[in-house]
Amino acid sequence: MSSSASPLLSEKQVDRILEANNDDYGGVIVEMTNEPMEAHVFVSLLRASLSHWRQLGKKGVWIKMPIELVNLVEPAVKEGFYYHHAESRYVMLVHWLPSTANTLPANASHRVGIGAFVMNEKNEVLVVQEKVGKTHGKGVWKFPTGVVDEGEDICNAAVREVKEETGIDSKFVEVIAFGQRHKSFFEKSDLFFVCMLQPLSFNLWPQEAEIEAAQWMPFEEYTAQPFVQKHEFLRYIADVCLAKKDRGYSGFSPVPMASSFSQTKSYLYLNRQGLDF
Amino acid sequence: MSSSASPLLSEKQVDRILEANNDDYGGVIVEMTNEPMEAHVFVSLLRASLSHWRQLGKKGVWIKMPIELVNLVEPAVKEGFYYHHAESRYVMLVHWLPSTANTLPANASHRVGIGAFVMNEKNEVLVVQEKVGKTHGKGVWKFPTGVVDEGEDICNAAVREVKEETGIDSKFVEVIAFGQRHKSFFEKSDLFFVCMLQPLSFNLWPQEAEIEAAQWMPFEEYTAQPFVQKHEFLRYIADVCLAKKDRGYSGFSPVPMASSFSQTKSYLYLNRQGLDF
């Protein structure tokens, strides 16, 4: 694809232009294929396209440029485009055509992580020592943690991380707290969900690549660690875990629903106890 | 900056290399300035630098490339770099040097939004009609909503959005529920926090640019709208608001703390009621 004569153009206008789809906000999206293209060909197509889109009153113009066409990034920038976001295999370029203020959607701003509070019937919590990171080699026992993948539900990510790091099967119960922190990674922010899970198996198979050791540890022993005691954040989390264990603390549990905002099933997390379900 | 002779190199090795800082994970970060550089000069520096970093056993190599140096993106990709992320004025390039599996941190995956439940003493909720978006022109009255900026706390974002959209001053009370949905914007996911706020002023000044109208509306009238009734997500939110209003529903409130993970103050959100503070 990447170029075609538009059937809507009159004879006089049959410059070849880039193939584009309309978005919901009065703009167009061009998805370039991996097919090699010389810069001068691209520039000629792009200029004709921009002129056409301007005549149509289009606002935002998006070009998803695969890394194979990295030779076209500089020419696009010279025609007024700038970066919107990038993933390993492509960069998304954007150009706002009108003279009015740019109302383009924001880029993703947060990474999302989970920490897993998993307790067995002997009041032992599931803890690990990591092979990498700031706590490596310090003898610190931590809850299993991990990153929620793009497109992954928080509740599923927690179950997956517990399984991957320790070999334990578990059932998601609740988000018992969450934290937000800034500038964790360049300018990006983090959201961190502390999840309670119920263990369904008990034999440990620590992950070779990332985990030094895993064990079931008495809860009091976990909280007594200097690492936990000296970090306000971890002390609070420990208090919440204790309240959950002993005093019926109520977190947010996931309610699956067919979202009108998305094609996929979504979860709403809320205090079911408080809602009297 | 962007190039300098390293004082650690022996005489024979005095190829000029790129100036880099070590990161916490055995890698190096190069922050290019806006100063123009020709591609062949950059390639020569980059090759010498990569060779040097390989000798030192470095793992991930990051290059933060301002858009002014877009001419150097293609040369970098040809030397083995690929995209990690991008913001409007720069692209972050990365290259994993070892033969072992890449353990580079993930890119930001989520955008974060808020919806504001603001009720006055007459059981009226603060609602708006938007000038743009899917509900425009349909007579739908919605809670004020908005995007949490990079580096902004959820609780502050909610207060800011209510003020911007309606002119109402308010005090943050609680996150009463949150939702996660996928593929909301290309491949990115959204997290959406429903926040309860207490109004501190009552005169409406709807925002010119984005808001068609704002009003205080009886809660029953809000929930009776077909738009709310036909969306499971909004019906649940309305149920949570009702439980909050009438039955002491307990959400998560922010607890400020000095985070050990970040230089800035962080908030942990938890069920204070359940914690018996």
Side-chain angles (χ1 to χ4, degrees):
Chain A
M1 59 122 276
S2 80
S3 78
S4 75
S6 160
L8 294 174
L9 295 172
S10 72
E11 292 260 337
K12 284 183 81 175
Q13 289 171 306
V14 198
D15 292 6
R16 285 160 59 87
I17 65 164
L18 294 164
E19 193 178 299
N21 293 312
N22 292 320
D23 67 20
D24 290 341
Y25 304 92
V28 293
I29 305 173
V30 178
E31 293 208 29
M32 303 291 288
T33 61
N34 295 354
E35 208 180 312
M37 186 184 290
E38 287 188 51
H40 73 273
V41 175
F42 174 70
V43 169
S44 154
L45 282 167
L46 184 57
R47 287 182 182 167
S49 307
L50 286 171
S51 159
H52 177 60
W53 294 325
R54 277 207 177 86
Q55 279 176 29
L56 295 178
K58 293 296 179 191
K59 294 176 177 173
V61 177
W62 303 87
I63 302 179
K64 185 175 176 180
M65 191 74 86
I67 198 165
E68 290 79 6
L69 298 189
V70 64
N71 62 310
L72 305 183
V73 175
E74 184 183 4
V77 169
K78 285 185 173 164
E79 298 299 318
F81 283 77
Y82 55 90
Y83 308 128
H84 186 272
H85 65 276
E87 297 294 331
S88 57
R89 305 304 302 168
Y90 73 87
V91 60
M92 184 69 76
L93 296 158
V94 73
H95 189 355
W96 180 251
L97 300 183
S99 52
T100 56
N102 158 352
T103 58
L104 296 168
N107 188 3
S109 53
H110 285 65
R111 295 189 303 168
V112 179
I114 60 92
F117 168 51
V118 189
M119 185 176 268
N120 66 19
E121 294 189 347
K122 291 184 276 184
N123 283 342
E124 293 167 332
V125 284
L126 183 60
V127 288
V128 299
Q129 287 187 343
E130 295 177 347
K131 279 191 178 172
V132 289
K134 290 180 182 171
T135 61
H136 174 62
K138 296 183 181 160
V140 170
W141 292 96
K142 300 168 55 180
F143 288 175
T145 54
V147 174
V148 178
D149 294 330
E150 205 165 78
E152 185 180 34
D153 290 307
I154 291 163
C155 48
N156 295 332
V159 171
R160 175 183 56 74
E161 284 289 350
V162 168
K163 179 70 177 177
E164 282 178 12
E165 293 202 346
T166 68
I168 299 294
D169 294 307
S170 64
K171 180 172 170 280
F172 187 86
V173 181
E174 275 182 357
V175 169
I176 56 175
F178 66 86
Q180 187 189 22
R181 57 198 192 213
H182 303 304
K183 301 206 173 184
S184 64
F185 170 64
F186 300 107
E187 294 304 307
K188 301 296 179 180
S189 302
D190 274 358
L191 273 163
F192 185 80
F193 293 85
V194 184
C195 304
M196 186 192 183
L197 296 98
Q198 182 193 328
L200 301 175
S201 73
F202 302 90
N203 291 326
L204 297 161
W205 295 93
Q207 184 181 44
E208 186 69 34
E210 293 174 26
I211 301 299
E212 190 72 46
Q215 67 162 321
W216 292 100
M217 178 184 251
F219 184 67
E220 294 69 26
E221 206 174 307
Y222 164 78
T223 58
Q225 294 179 100
F227 175 77
V228 174
Q229 284 304 314
K230 81 175 184 214
H231 289 147
E232 195 178 13
F233 181 83
L234 294 176
R235 281 204 314 276
Y236 265 92
I237 299 295
D239 284 349
V240 170
C241 293
L242 193 66
K244 183 75 207 168
K245 175 170 100 64
D246 293 340
R247 305 197 303 273
Y249 175 96
S250 183
F252 284 177
S253 41
V255 180
M257 53 191 63
S259 168
S260 56
F261 300 100
S262 157
Q263 299 305 310
T264 55
K265 190 179 60 176
S266 293
Y267 285 98
L268 182 65
Y269 296 75
L270 47 76
N271 180 348
R272 272 179 188 263
Q273 202 171 304
L275 208 50
D276 289 329
F277 269 109
Chain B
M1 61 115 283
S2 81
S3 79
S4 76
S6 160
L8 295 173
L9 295 172
S10 72
E11 293 260 337
K12 285 184 80 176
Q13 289 173 307
V14 198
D15 291 13
R16 284 159 59 86
I17 65 163
L18 295 163
E19 193 178 298
N21 293 312
N22 292 321
D23 68 20
D24 290 342
Y25 304 91
V28 293
I29 306 175
V30 178
E31 294 208 29
M32 303 291 287
T33 61
N34 295 353
E35 209 180 311
M37 187 184 289
E38 287 187 51
H40 74 273
V41 174
F42 174 71
V43 169
S44 155
L45 282 167
L46 184 57
R47 286 182 183 167
S49 306
L50 287 171
S51 158
H52 177 60
W53 295 324
R54 277 206 176 87
Q55 278 176 30
L56 294 178
K58 294 295 177 191
K59 294 176 178 174
V61 177
W62 303 86
I63 302 179
K64 185 175 176 179
M65 191 74 86
I67 197 166
E68 290 78 6
L69 298 188
V70 64
N71 63 309
L72 306 183
V73 175
E74 184 184 4
V77 169
K78 285 186 173 164
E79 297 300 317
F81 283 77
Y82 55 90
Y83 308 127
H84 187 272
H85 65 276
E87 296 294 332
S88 56
R89 306 302 304 168
Y90 73 88
V91 60
M92 185 69 77
L93 297 157
V94 72
H95 189 356
W96 181 252
L97 300 183
S99 53
T100 55
N102 158 352
T103 58
L104 296 168
N107 189 2
S109 54
H110 285 66
R111 294 188 305 169
V112 179
I114 60 90
F117 168 51
V118 189
M119 184 177 270
N120 65 19
E121 293 189 345
K122 290 185 279 186
N123 282 341
E124 293 168 332
V125 284
L126 183 59
V127 290
V128 299
Q129 287 188 343
E130 295 177 347
K131 279 191 176 170
V132 289
K134 289 181 182 171
T135 61
H136 174 62
K138 294 182 183 162
V140 170
W141 292 96
K142 300 169 54 179
F143 288 175
T145 54
V147 173
V148 178
D149 294 330
E150 204 164 79
E152 185 179 35
D153 289 307
I154 291 163
C155 48
N156 295 331
V159 170
R160 177 184 55 74
E161 284 287 352
V162 168
K163 179 70 178 176
E164 282 178 11
E165 293 201 346
T166 69
I168 299 295
D169 295 306
S170 65
K171 179 172 171 281
F172 187 87
V173 181
E174 273 181 358
V175 169
I176 56 176
F178 66 87
Q180 187 189 22
R181 56 198 193 214
H182 302 304
K183 301 206 173 183
S184 64
F185 171 63
F186 299 106
E187 293 303 307
K188 301 296 177 179
S189 302
D190 275 358
L191 273 164
F192 185 80
F193 293 85
V194 185
C195 304
M196 186 193 182
L197 296 98
Q198 181 192 330
L200 300 176
S201 72
F202 301 91
N203 290 326
L204 297 162
W205 294 94
Q207 185 181 45
E208 186 69 32
E210 292 175 25
I211 301 300
E212 189 73 47
Q215 67 162 321
W216 292 101
M217 178 184 250
F219 183 67
E220 294 68 25
E221 206 174 306
Y222 164 78
T223 57
Q225 295 180 100
F227 176 77
V228 174
Q229 285 303 314
K230 80 174 184 215
H231 289 148
E232 193 178 14
F233 181 82
L234 295 176
R235 282 205 313 277
Y236 265 92
I237 298 297
D239 284 349
V240 170
C241 293
L242 193 67
K244 183 74 206 168
K245 174 170 99 66
D246 293 340
R247 305 197 303 273
Y249 175 95
S250 184
F252 285 177
S253 41
V255 181
M257 54 191 64
S259 169
S260 57
F261 299 100
S262 155
Q263 299 304 311
T264 56
K265 189 180 62 179
S266 294
Y267 285 98
L268 182 65
Y269 296 76
L270 47 74
N271 181 349
R272 271 180 189 263
Q273 203 171 302
L275 209 48
D276 289 330
F277 269 108

